[in-house]
Amino acid sequence: VGTSRKQFRRADKWLKNRFDEIKEPPEELFTILTRFQNEPVSNHIKIIESYPHTQKHLINQFKKYLGITPKVYHRILRFNEILKMIHNEEHISWTAITYNCGYTDQSHFIKDFKHFSGFNPEEFIDFNFHRKQPNFFPLDRRG
């Protein structure tokens, strides 16, 4: 019994040492997140550059409070923006979307699109997934 109690005390001490009392993200992180959500995805690089601390500090803050990096967060927001842009559209200009969402080239756009949806953009449209909810992530219906 004494050994178990000792082990629980040791585990309790270890957990308390790792516990961060400060649960609220700093104000500058809230500012960055708000700007990410309210400004066009093409402004995200400028938003990151406006962060008052180092880029490494921003990355650490994102990982600590969101569990992902700013780059991943940006990619998620950008993909959601794409879904909104193509929602129920009859004629889609992938080139315009690529440019408006800040991709450097179409292959990078296609790679990101497939990463998040599981389909290339044309397959996504062929299956009429763009007619679903704008943030709908389809399941592979091909089996």
Side-chain angles (χ1 to χ4, degrees):
V1 175
T3 307
S4 294
R5 225 179 243 149
K6 191 175 181 180
Q7 288 177 337
F8 276 111
R9 270 191 250 129
R10 187 178 301 148
D12 185 56
K13 182 180 176 182
W14 182 83
L15 286 170
K16 285 179 180 174
N17 286 337
R18 296 200 38 95
F19 180 72
D20 189 353
E21 299 265 340
I22 302 170
K23 295 182 179 139
E24 290 287 319
E27 189 61 37
E28 60 260 7
L29 184 59
F30 274 123
T31 301
I32 293 289
L33 291 171
T34 301
R35 289 186 65 197
F36 265 161
Q37 293 171 357
N38 295 325
E39 294 182 27
V41 293
S42 58
N43 286 355
H44 285 188
I45 292 173
K46 290 177 185 171
I47 295 169
I48 289 172
E49 290 171 352
S50 74
Y51 187 67
H53 304 287
T54 66
Q55 191 173 21
K56 184 173 175 75
H57 185 267
L58 179 63
I59 291 168
N60 289 336
Q61 294 296 299
F62 261 78
K63 285 180 179 179
K64 180 178 182 177
Y65 292 104
L66 279 77
I68 57 176
T69 65
K71 183 176 182 178
V72 171
Y73 188 71
H74 164 72
R75 288 176 64 214
I76 292 167
L77 291 178
R78 184 163 59 176
F79 184 70
N80 281 334
E81 185 66 24
I82 293 165
L83 292 178
K84 288 179 201 170
M85 292 170 91
I86 66 173
H87 184 63
N88 283 327
E89 289 296 319
E90 291 297 322
H91 303 287
I92 298 169
S93 169
W94 294 116
T95 305
I97 290 171
T98 301
Y99 174 76
N100 291 333
C101 290
Y103 285 97
T104 54
D105 57 49
Q106 202 147 6
S107 65
H108 184 214
F109 162 74
I110 293 168
K111 181 180 174 186
D112 246 18
F113 195 97
K114 187 160 186 156
H115 173 81
F116 284 109
S117 72
F119 299 91
N120 72 44
E122 290 300 325
E123 290 173 327
F124 194 86
I125 298 304
D126 289 345
F127 284 116
N128 283 318
F129 290 139
H130 67 299
R131 305 232 183 264
K132 308 282 186 202
Q133 293 296 321
N135 62 353
F136 169 73
F137 286 85
L139 298 175
D140 184 357
R141 293 185 182 170
R142 293 175 288 186

